[in-house]
Amino acid sequence: MSITVAKFGGTSMADAKAITQVAEIIKQDAKRRYVVVSAPGKRFSQDHKVTDMLYACYHDLQINGECKDTFDKIRDRFKGIVADLAIDLDIDSYLDKVEEEMNKYDSAEFCASRGEYLSAVIMAKVLGYTFIDAKDIMVFNENGDFQAELTNEKVKSALANVERAVVPGFYGGDEAGIVHTFSRGGSDVSGAVIARAVGASLYENWTDVNGFMSADPRIVENPKPIATLSYKELRELAYMGANVLHPESIFPVRISKIPINIRNTFCPAADGTMIVADLDEKELGKRVITGIAGKKGYSIVYIEKSMMNSELGFVRKVLAVLEYYNISFEHMPSGIDTMSIVIADSELAGKEDVVIERIKKVVNPDHIEIKSGISLIATVGQGMSFKPGSAATLIGALAKEKINIRMIDQGSSEMNIIVGIATNDYERAINAIYQAFASK
Ligand code: ASP
């Protein structure tokens, strides 16, 4: 029988009611043999995520040498969950040990990891599945870098003879047994890694939304849900701010082309979004664009010099300046005698003057300036490469709204057109693009 790896996020683990719903979902399909869980998240908007409270414990430990008050809140949270679930689990002894070890190890990552640990202990008990500690199978080196291939081997052999298991997400361990974590939201990555190792035919990622929307619902009213999406499209959309899934979750599953299905724990009847390796022609024919995403907070370093295109090494010299100041850039559309480098404000902050001075020195431009207050909008869709006129639709939509395009960049894959516009126009621009393609 094929295997499904099912990962459940923080809201799915937030309280006993949600956990009971999760157990029901798992039991409905015998293929759901390996389950990965997050720490309990928010139950309501003002609530605290357990992971945030655990980081707060670490902070308390640094400042006061103890974290009893904050830990007591975590204790209450888990005790409440276990009591409401009415399971036979001595959660107090687990909590005592966790508190003791948090004091002992003095590590932010160890503290943060305990939410997933306890969550998985509880879930394993609820389901009657084997608990497998992520510390023993998800391999990091001593610097905290994840070791993908070693992990793949380890998970494979650890789960080979385990019929059904629950594994905590978000963390792993190094050779010395020290706990390391992924970046925030990393349980998505843990699930993907396990899906690859066990040769799953599906990686389900259960969250609290019905999958990806074709635009941010806070900006566009009732955007269409995305039924199918390719890994490549997801990567583009996620990079530009569509954050339903940790962007690094794609790498492990891409190797074996395992589809990811984003599902909603609180609306299991919805099909959600299916993320696949390749879209077939039929799928591509159905739509021009797949989605729109964007980010605020960019600047453009604009450089002009006549005969730039024939000056050997010009671009290299400019980029070497950025490298010297440890600044990474996003896009670099260029003309014959002009080049624009789009950089996130967070990268450039405080270094503007030195960068300008240095570039002036190395390439002696006719003109250089930094244009700030820029937002980027990515219009993504593999279907665009099949349909002429996509760029015209996009540019026409912005022109009709009298929105000035400060930069435009279409990758040669023709699946993503990025425009830079003034941040004041951001919401209006997204709506204009969305409406223009919605009628196609
Ligand atoms: N609990 C961790 C976080 O809040 C990891 C996760 O949920 O994926 O970031």
Side-chain angles (χ1 to χ4, degrees), residues 7 10 38-39 49 51 116 170 183-188:
K7 179 259 165 180
S38 281
K49 287 180 166 192
T51 309
E116 269 69 15
F170 189 38
S183 57
R184 294 299 303 264
S187 301
D188 288 342

Side-chain angles (χ1 to χ4, degrees), residues 279-421:
L279 293 169
D280 56 28
E281 299 236 340
K282 198 173 125 231
E283 201 58 56
L284 286 173
K286 275 195 226 156
R287 59 182 185 217
V288 183
I289 66 159
T290 302
I292 304 165
K295 273 196 213 166
K296 297 180 176 176
Y298 290 92
S299 294
I300 299 176
V301 178
Y302 176 77
I303 306 169
E304 242 179 66
K305 187 175 186 187
S306 67
M307 304 303 284
M308 180 192 286
N309 71 329
S310 56
E311 192 177 320
L312 212 60
F314 189 95
V315 173
R316 179 182 54 76
K317 286 179 201 156
V318 172
L319 295 185
V321 173
L322 298 184
E323 193 175 346
Y324 179 80
Y325 289 108
N326 207 9
I327 296 169
S328 78
F329 70 93
E330 304 280 325
H331 301 281
M332 194 182 56
S334 50
I336 306 171
D337 290 334
T338 62
M339 81 185 266
S340 304
I341 314 168
V342 182
I343 302 172
D345 291 342
S346 53
E347 287 283 318
L348 198 58
K351 299 176 183 167
E352 294 88 343
D353 294 345
V354 283
V355 165
I356 296 264
E357 279 320 304
R358 190 96 196 155
I359 293 177
K360 277 186 182 166
K361 213 169 195 162
V362 295
V363 293
N364 192 23
D366 298 335
H367 176 72
I368 177 166
E369 66 173 304
I370 294 182
K371 302 173 183 180
S372 53
I374 303 289
S375 288
L376 297 181
I377 299 174
T379 304
V380 176
Q382 274 178 267
M384 284 198 290
S385 52
F386 283 70
K387 309 232 170 49
S390 315
T393 305
L394 192 151
I395 292 165
L398 295 177
K400 208 168 130 210
E401 281 292 312
K402 301 201 166 31
I403 295 169
N404 187 18
I405 301 177
R406 314 286 291 270
M407 176 222 79
I408 179 155
D409 195 4
Q410 177 177 27
S412 47
S413 64
E414 290 183 50
M415 59 170 281
N416 191 2
I417 303 175
I418 295 180
V419 290
I421 42 118

Side-chain angles (χ1 to χ4, degrees), residues 16-233:
K17 192 166 166 241
I19 293 173
T20 306
Q21 167 74 358
V22 167
E24 226 150 80
I25 289 170
I26 296 167
K27 293 274 151 90
Q28 266 159 19
D29 185 346
K31 294 197 288 298
R32 294 181 179 127
R33 284 176 47 193
Y34 302 112
V35 175
V36 175
V37 290
S38 281
K42 292 184 183 187
R43 293 159 292 184
F44 43 88
S45 64
Q46 304 304 318
D47 199 12
H48 297 289
K49 287 180 166 192
V50 163
T51 309
D52 290 331
M53 294 199 278
L54 286 161
Y55 279 118
C57 281
Y58 177 71
H59 187 250
D60 290 355
L61 281 168
Q62 297 303 294
I63 309 279
N64 312 321
E66 56 108 15
C67 61
K68 191 168 178 329
D69 288 353
T70 313
F71 192 79
D72 277 349
K73 294 192 186 109
I74 298 169
R75 187 181 280 277
D76 287 348
R77 187 87 190 264
F78 279 107
K79 285 183 73 157
I81 290 175
V82 170
D84 291 347
L85 286 169
I87 46 172
D88 179 20
L89 179 73
D90 182 7
I91 192 72
D92 264 316
S93 67
Y94 280 98
L95 288 159
D96 290 346
K97 185 146 180 262
V98 163
E99 187 173 9
E100 186 196 315
E101 289 179 332
M102 279 172 46
N103 279 286
K104 190 163 100 193
Y105 294 144
D106 190 27
S107 147
E109 290 180 89
F110 179 79
C111 289
S113 73
R114 294 305 86 185
E116 269 69 15
Y117 169 76
L118 293 166
S119 205
V121 166
I122 293 171
M123 198 70 230
K125 186 77 192 173
V126 170
L127 295 167
Y129 283 19
T130 309
F131 168 81
I132 305 260
D133 195 343
K135 178 164 78 72
D136 305 324
I137 58 170
M138 308 290 283
V139 189
F140 287 70
N141 68 14
E142 57 184 25
N143 300 324
D145 303 318
F146 179 61
Q147 305 297 299
E149 296 314 312
L150 277 176
T151 300
N152 194 47
E153 291 313 310
K154 234 178 178 170
V155 173
K156 222 185 254 177
S157 62
L159 296 182
N161 298 313
V162 181
E163 183 59 25
R164 296 178 182 276
V166 179
V167 183
F170 189 38
Y171 74 93
D174 65 21
E175 231 174 35
I178 308 280
V179 163
H180 298 276
T181 56
F182 290 110
S183 57
R184 294 299 303 264
S187 301
D188 288 342
V189 185
S190 310
V193 165
I194 291 173
R196 176 193 168 200
V198 301
S201 53
L202 181 64
Y203 172 34
E204 287 179 340
N205 194 291
W206 291 83
T207 170
D208 55 3
V209 291
N210 284 353
F212 278 87
M213 295 291 145
S214 48
D216 186 338
R218 288 165 302 187
I219 299 175
V220 172
E221 212 183 308
N222 280 329
K224 251 177 58 188
I226 304 177
T228 320
L229 185 68
S230 69
Y231 295 154
K232 279 190 206 148
E233 290 175 329

